[in-house]
Amino acid sequence: MRPSRCDRTRSLLSQRLDAAISDVERRAIARHTARCADCRAFEAQSRWVTAELRSAPLLDPPHAVVVTPVRARRISSRLVGNVASIAALLAVTIGGWATGMSLPTGSSANRAVPPLRDSVNGDALRVLHVEALRAGELPMVPATPRPSVKPPRSADDS
């Protein structure tokens, strides 16, 4: 037999000892215990233990038992707010640091063309070109018109 069927049958056997169960559940127990020797042994042992416990006399405990209510510790809303603020600050700090670490040093104009001193090679045209790039007057990549993509017209459109 599969262990899940045995587990289910043993659960039903325990329920039957404590409370009434349905006829369908009784038939399921009977079918299973007819085939499973382990569950038959469990049923016999469970009945014996239950009978022994129910027939035993009730004894008074040697000491008084005092049950005290357990207080649930609550986290104050002030503490939650402080922790949330610290977490937000930490996230912003780490995000800013990570962003700063991923960017190359220098301004965005310096990233496009390496900086040149006034005229290192004596090439005045190149210096003018670099200065125009830095000023934003000369585009890095020539602008190309994007092709217009229109959806095909249906036969209904006239």
Side-chain angles (χ1 to χ4, degrees), residues 2-154:
R2 291 186 349 211
S4 62
R5 288 188 181 172
C6 291
D7 292 340
R8 173 76 177 139
T9 301
R10 291 177 186 197
S11 173
L12 289 173
L13 285 168
S14 295
Q15 289 176 23
R16 185 174 69 180
L17 292 172
D18 296 331
I21 59 172
S22 70
D23 289 336
V24 173
E25 292 170 329
R26 284 177 207 217
R27 284 192 296 260
I29 290 172
R31 269 193 314 259
H32 183 78
T33 55
R35 289 179 268 158
C36 183
D38 290 338
C39 288
R40 273 195 308 274
F42 177 82
E43 180 182 20
Q45 184 180 13
S46 300
R47 285 183 186 219
W48 177 81
V49 168
T50 302
E52 288 294 316
L53 287 173
R54 289 183 179 160
S55 66
L58 294 177
L59 300 174
D60 291 330
H63 303 288
V65 177
V66 179
V67 178
T68 58
V70 177
R71 283 188 177 173
R73 294 183 69 188
R74 288 188 169 182
I75 298 174
S76 71
S77 60
R78 179 184 231 176
L79 178 65
V80 172
N82 289 343
V83 169
S85 297
I86 291 170
L89 180 63
L90 185 62
V92 168
T93 303
I94 290 174
W97 176 79
T99 303
M101 292 300 290
S102 65
L103 291 177
T105 58
S107 67
S108 60
N110 288 343
R111 279 187 275 140
V113 176
L116 294 176
R117 293 186 203 119
D118 294 335
S119 68
V120 174
N121 298 328
D123 190 4
L125 184 60
R126 182 170 170 87
V127 171
L128 289 175
H129 184 78
V130 170
E131 289 175 3
L133 276 174
R134 288 186 181 152
E137 297 168 359
L138 186 64
M140 282 289 297
V141 178
T144 57
R146 289 188 169 194
S148 174
V149 179
K150 293 182 181 177
R153 296 180 83 178
S154 64

